[in-house]
Amino acid sequence: MAAVDAWFLGGPVDGRLMPVEVAADGSLPAVVKLPQTGFYVGAGDVAAPAVEHVYVLVDRLDNVEVYQYRQPASEATD
């Protein structure tokens, strides 16, 4: 599939340019979900659930699509 460069603002990938796949009609997804993965090292028997970071398509600057981090509701109320 074809992809375009997108700029991600806020959250764990702030300021990075990364490719985002486009649909067959050339449209971009309105939302990109980036799962946080890694190794689990801890004293508990079960790892915490994976964290998913959500970015929403908000703008286009100099032919680069811009996705803005959407803070989870649990963090927004802290």
Side-chain angles (χ1 to χ4, degrees):
M1 292 221 97
V4 298
D5 281 333
W7 187 24
F8 288 80
L9 298 176
V13 295
D14 184 37
R16 292 191 187 170
L17 279 172
M18 297 190 301
V20 174
E21 283 188 5
V22 296
D25 66 359
S27 64
L28 284 160
V31 174
V32 173
K33 296 180 180 180
L34 303 175
Q36 181 176 337
T37 59
F39 294 99
Y40 171 69
V41 179
D45 292 335
V46 179
V51 176
E52 191 170 68
H53 301 288
V54 177
Y55 287 80
V56 178
L57 183 61
V58 293
D59 204 354
R60 182 182 181 118
L61 298 172
D62 296 329
N63 292 325
V64 176
E65 306 301 331
V66 178
Y67 283 87
Q68 179 70 47
Y69 180 66
R70 180 184 290 165
Q71 189 176 33
S74 60
E75 290 179 18
T77 58
D78 289 347

